[in-house]
């Protein structure tokens, strides 16, 4: 079935792994921590435990690099039975600061798509994570000029999007969300009657994965690269 | 000189130490860390070094509890010359989680003032710090219903407020900000032509202090308690 985008007035973009590389940096950091802790546990076990620790701390720390670093410090103490060296903990803090200072690497086609869509639509950035991290990345990206508004959400659930739409004073049918996470950028939007286009990134954090059958019967498009989106709008 | 509030359409409230207790919890945490590190350094020196570390890390971590905890961990390693125990680092992580989980303690008169002003004005919360922390505190406070909008700013400088006013689509002369920090809640507003009322809190973080002469000739009111604000509006 063709999806009709003719009502759309505002387009929301996810940021991490939709506009720029993010998850890759977390994976790299996890690998480095795995190396640092490698004489306490096997790489597999460290991976599992790091995920468990992050999920345990998510309600307290939320998303973003700082909570991730705090979880890694906590894990290093736990996995080493309280014997990890100050040197390793300092290294973990350093890995975190390096993540924060990483340059922003735009994904293919991003600027072209934003230039084109910003002519006819109000574009907003709707991201979750740490406010300062996200503002800094937007600044470094040079993409600020295309967005009317940046919205950092503490969670990306139906209620958060509903509030955002109220704030933008538009109907769900007038909003299109574009992002790489089925769980955060697609399903909640479809469920509140908005439109969504899925642009998968090659790496997905376990926490963002959903069962295939959670999406059964839901009406959204998947594209291989951001650039493909322009086709739908040229046809309208 | 009497200040004329008759143009005001939107009133912004700072949150921490204006609506609820905050700085007190940071001071308590610092004292606890001071005790934990007391056999490495004198309390005075620890205080100084903690402040230095926080300021050093502020561009990287921003405001909020998580950055504060990361700074405390880094300091404990530095002050101990790399000999601090895992037990003490765990204690520091625990102090941080306890800060995040603290109940919200409203300051005197807050609810009365919000009930009264929300009848005639659009109220917004304009706070800096960690998005998740601030949303959680607002939730716990029960004050959500009085605010049209919560705005968490990564910094509270003139440009940030200017952007907020553009977003609210109002003139500076139609905006009044109420808060405890001269540096963050008062001076930038006066400088962009908005109004501001200063409600001092008994404790001010060193970083938020300004020289008395920075405020010379600037036109804002100072009140002893939030409740006093109602007098200005009853007179209008």
């Amino acid at each position: 079935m063709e999806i009709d985008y003719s009502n759309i007035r505002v387009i929301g973009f996810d940021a991490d792994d939709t506009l720029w590389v993010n998850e890759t940096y977390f994976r790299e950091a996890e690998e480095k921590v795995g190396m640092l802790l490698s004489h306490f546990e096997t790489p597999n076990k460290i991976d599992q435990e790091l995920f468990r620790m992050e999920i345990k701390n998510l309600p307290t720390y939320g998303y973003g690099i700082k909570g991730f670093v705090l979880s890694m410090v906590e894990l290093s103490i736990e996995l080493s039975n309280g014997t990890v060296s100050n040197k390793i903990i300092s290294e973990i803090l350093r890995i975190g600061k390096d993540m924060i200072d990483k340059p922003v690497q735009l994904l293919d086609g991003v600027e072209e798509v934003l230039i084109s869509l910003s002519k006819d639509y109000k574009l907003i950035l709707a991201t979750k994570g740490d406010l300062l991290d996200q503002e800094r990345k937007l600044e470094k990206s040079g993409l600020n000029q295309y967005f009317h508004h940046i919205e950092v959400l503490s969670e990306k659930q139906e209620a958060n999007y509903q509030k955002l739409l109220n704030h933008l004073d538009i109907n769900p049918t007038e909003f299109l969300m574009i992002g790489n996470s089925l769980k955060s950028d697609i399903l909640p939007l479809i469920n509140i009657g908005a439109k969504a286009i899925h642009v998968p990134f090659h790496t997905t954090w376990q926490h963002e994965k959903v069962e295939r059958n959670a999406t059964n019967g839901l009406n959204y498009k998947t594209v291989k690269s951001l650039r493909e989106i322009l086709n739908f709008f040229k046809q309208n």
Side-chain angles (χ1 to χ4, degrees), chain A residues 9-219:
Chain A
R9 287 170 50 205
V10 181
I11 303 180
F13 284 84
D14 171 56
D16 291 337
D17 302 319
T18 298
L19 301 181
W20 51 64
V21 175
N22 176 65
E23 197 51 33
T24 313
Y25 297 150
F26 277 87
R27 286 294 95 79
E28 284 172 9
E30 285 175 6
E31 267 179 42
K32 284 183 199 159
V33 174
M35 300 279 277
L36 289 173
L37 302 181
S38 60
H39 73 274
F40 300 118
E41 272 299 346
T42 63
N44 243 349
K45 176 76 174 170
I46 295 171
D47 253 22
Q48 278 170 29
E49 290 299 306
L50 185 49
F51 181 67
R52 189 191 53 75
M53 184 64 81
E54 283 183 82
I55 299 302
K56 187 193 92 176
N57 284 335
L58 204 53
T60 307
Y61 294 147
Y63 300 92
I65 297 173
K66 285 174 285 186
F68 177 70
V69 179
L70 288 167
S71 285
M72 291 195 294
V73 172
E74 186 175 343
L75 182 71
S76 70
I77 294 173
E78 199 179 287
L79 281 188
S80 70
N81 283 315
T83 65
V84 67
S85 68
N86 279 207
K87 192 159 173 291
I88 287 179
I89 293 175
S90 289
E91 281 291 317
I92 292 173
L93 297 180
R94 166 55 44 205
I95 290 168
K97 287 185 177 179
D98 286 348
M99 288 174 82
I100 293 172
D101 290 337
K102 275 257 191 287
V104 166
Q105 192 185 337
L106 292 188
L107 293 173
D108 188 43
V110 163
E111 193 143 18
E112 185 187 332
V113 168
L114 295 178
I115 289 174
S116 175
L117 294 178
S118 63
K119 286 175 194 147
D120 299 314
Y121 300 92
K122 187 192 267 194
L123 307 187
I124 64 162
L125 196 71
T127 172
K128 89 187 160 188
D130 185 87
L131 181 68
L132 182 64
D133 288 353
Q134 296 295 1
E135 282 189 354
R136 190 155 28 197
K137 284 192 268 188
L138 184 60
E139 186 69 36
K140 284 187 202 166
S141 74
L143 301 176
N144 223 323
Q145 57 186 309
Y146 304 114
F147 293 102
H148 176 263
H149 177 64
I150 166 172
E151 187 77 27
V152 183
L153 306 161
S154 58
E155 276 293 349
K156 278 181 157 180
Q157 294 170 356
E158 292 172 30
N160 309 87
Y161 282 113
Q162 196 65 70
K163 218 166 152 185
L164 172 63
L165 297 184
N166 290 345
H167 181 62
L168 291 166
D169 204 19
I170 57 166
N171 285 322
T173 54
E174 300 170 314
F175 186 71
L176 167 67
M177 182 73 192
I178 296 172
N180 73 299
S181 167
L182 281 175
K183 184 177 174 182
S184 298
D185 305 318
I186 311 299
L187 301 186
L189 280 301
I190 303 298
N191 288 335
I192 63 169
K195 306 266 192 306
I197 298 179
H198 184 216
V199 194
F201 186 66
H202 55 75
T203 310
T204 306
W205 185 31
Q206 213 176 323
H207 180 64
E208 292 293 319
K209 289 184 180 158
V210 288
E211 294 296 324
R212 188 178 292 268
N213 64 16
T215 68
N216 273 355
L218 291 179
N219 199 12

